[in-house]
Amino acid sequence: MQLIDTHVHLNFEAFQADLDDIAQQWREAGVIRLVHSCVEPSEFESIQAIANRFAEISFAVGLHPLDADKWTDTSPDEILRCAQADRRIVAIGEIGLDFFKADNKAHQVLVFEAQLAIAHQLNLPVIIHCRDAAEAMVEILQRRWQTGQSVRGVMHCWSGSPEETQAFLDLGFFISFSGIVTFKNAHTVHASAQMVPADRLLIETDCPFLAPVPHRGQRRNQPAYVRHVAERVAELRHVSVEAIAAQTTANACCLFNLSLPEIGSADLPLGFISRPS
């Protein structure tokens, strides 16, 4: 069984001491590909260095909405330069809107729209963070669609209602579920996970955050635990975990233009896969 974790943050301090061991664990769990997200462009070199160590990793570049105040006049050029600097860049992200405790909503919208424009220019998908901002985000994405500037992408770590889920599905987006889907009382997330069409479904850990059951409460999530997300989604959808693994792997390859393992390759250890061309 092969799995793809479509959202990780391995450059965070939580992984610095034992990243080689963490990599061994994700390989043993069947994780063949990882998409490393980015909180701010200054992370680019540290993420690139991790991708140099582990051939399974592709990555993104972007500015998180909670860091929108770090946006400057040079930020668009910096993101554009980084996105074009490495062929392992597969997305712009994570970007989006977070209105949970925001007092800078207008500025977040400005930063988000600027990064959507970069993604459209480069024909790259976006990795979207959306918290308490679904209505505003749908309006922005619908407006781009109507003006011929639509982007494709994924609603990451999704916790929205089925109605919100459908709005993003109607805009062509993939929906990615994290460890939240394993939580007993996450009924809204369970309902959304049941309704997403098979060809739009993705899974992730968002590690080091949101460790899934049976590891909930641990201080650090890790890519190997994406298997638990797959298992819970399979339960909710009444299909086998093998079917979920196969479908979400195919979907991740489709969205992020990832390659599958080269069986029998003499150049890569078991568990590694070739980088996309």
Side-chain angles (χ1 to χ4, degrees):
M1 185 168 67
Q2 297 179 328
L3 297 159
I4 295 180
D5 186 347
T6 60
H7 200 103
V8 302
H9 296 279
L10 299 175
N11 65 320
F12 284 13
E13 183 65 29
F15 294 110
Q16 297 313 299
D18 61 347
L19 189 52
D20 287 326
D21 291 338
I22 292 295
Q24 184 60 34
Q25 291 179 57
W26 80 54
R27 293 169 193 154
E28 291 173 355
V31 178
I32 58 163
R33 265 293 200 178
L34 305 92
V35 177
H36 199 305
S37 200
C38 179
V39 173
E40 56 180 282
S42 64
E43 291 185 315
F44 179 82
E45 290 187 0
S46 67
I47 297 171
Q48 188 179 49
I50 292 172
N52 290 341
R53 289 172 60 186
F54 306 106
E56 302 99 317
I57 295 177
S58 299
F59 55 110
V61 62
L63 184 67
H64 193 285
L66 293 180
D67 290 296
D69 288 341
K70 296 179 181 179
W71 186 262
T72 69
D73 291 342
T74 64
S75 294
D77 288 340
E78 183 180 9
I79 292 172
L80 190 63
R81 175 184 58 79
C82 290
Q84 295 175 310
D86 195 306
R87 61 194 176 93
R88 292 167 295 183
I89 291 285
V90 296
I92 300 299
E94 64 186 279
I95 65 176
L97 302 174
D98 191 319
F99 292 170
F100 180 59
K101 293 183 178 179
D103 56 5
N104 63 342
K105 292 182 181 180
H107 186 62
Q108 282 193 34
V109 169
L110 181 152
V111 172
F112 179 50
E113 291 189 317
Q115 292 182 96
L116 290 174
I118 294 171
H120 183 264
Q121 177 183 343
L122 298 178
N123 192 29
L124 285 173
V126 289
I127 298 170
I128 290 185
H129 172 108
C130 180
R131 188 176 187 189
D132 289 1
E135 183 177 355
M137 182 162 289
V138 168
E139 290 178 0
I140 291 168
L141 295 174
Q142 283 180 336
R143 186 164 60 248
R144 293 193 66 87
W145 183 278
Q146 293 164 356
T147 58
Q149 301 177 76
S150 61
V151 294
R152 65 194 193 282
V154 55
M155 306 305 297
H156 113 86
C157 195
W158 185 241
S159 60
S161 69
E163 294 76 19
E164 291 168 337
T165 302
Q166 188 60 56
F168 290 109
L169 289 170
D170 290 345
L171 287 163
F173 275 74
F174 288 71
I175 309 293
S176 181
F177 294 95
S178 68
I180 296 172
V181 79
T182 70
F183 298 171
K184 180 179 179 180
N185 294 322
H187 303 301
T188 298
V189 181
H190 299 164
S192 291
Q194 291 170 320
M195 64 166 287
V196 174
D199 63 355
R200 301 283 196 85
L201 185 66
L202 294 173
I203 54 176
E204 64 174 88
T205 58
D206 197 17
C207 64
F209 312 110
L210 298 171
V213 175
H215 303 285
R216 189 179 183 186
Q218 293 184 4
R219 295 183 65 183
R220 183 179 69 173
N221 194 4
Q222 61 171 299
Y225 296 168
V226 77
R227 189 181 186 109
H228 300 300
V229 178
E231 290 169 348
R232 182 57 177 141
V233 171
E235 285 182 2
L236 289 166
R237 296 171 69 92
H238 305 292
V239 299
S240 70
V241 67
E242 290 81 8
I244 290 296
Q247 184 69 64
T248 56
T249 294
N251 293 347
C253 289
C254 176
L255 178 61
F256 295 117
N257 192 29
L258 305 178
S259 59
L260 286 172
E262 293 182 355
I263 304 301
S265 171
D267 299 323
L268 298 175
L270 182 63
F272 276 147
I273 69 174
S274 63
R275 298 170 187 170
S277 59

